[in-house]
Amino acid sequence: RLPLVASAMINIAQDVDDDWPLEIYDHDGMAHNITLHPGDMLLFESHSAIHGRPFPLKGRFYAMLFIHFEPTGHSLQHTNIEQVINVEKQYKRSVHAKQ
C-alpha cells in the first residue's frame, strides 16, 4: 500500500438526494462530519486519521478527485533500502540494454 501521509479530496460533481458527509476521527478520537459540495476541497492527514462514509450514498452519483501526498524521502524511511537500490539497478540495466 502506498503511504498516504496527506490527501486532498475535491468534489467534482454530484447528484444526490441527501448530503453524503465524510466522517474523520481526529487524534483525540472525536468524530467530525464534513460535507463537500462541487468545487469544495478538503486537505487532511489521511495516514493517521480514520476516515470513511458513515452511510451509503442516497442519489445517483458523487464524483471526487483524490490527490495523495508524502514528504520527500518518506518511503525510504519505511522501506528496505536494499529493495530501492535493487530496483534502481534493474532500471539502469534495462535502459542500457535497450540502447
Side-chain angles (χ1 to χ4, degrees), residues 1-5 69-89:
R1 179 178 165 177
L2 294 174
L4 309 177
V5 175
F69 305 91
E70 70 170 307
T72 302
H74 182 267
S75 290
L76 295 177
Q77 296 172 7
H78 301 281
T79 305
N80 180 343
I81 191 67
E82 292 301 318
Q83 292 174 335
V84 174
I85 292 170
N86 290 338
V87 168
E88 187 175 333
K89 285 180 183 177

Side-chain angles (χ1 to χ4, degrees), residues 42-62:
L42 172 66
L43 179 64
F44 70 106
E45 189 178 344
S46 55
H47 177 71
S48 60
I50 296 171
H51 57 282
R53 302 288 180 177
F55 51 82
L57 174 68
K58 294 177 185 161
R60 280 134 308 279
F61 70 86
Y62 196 89

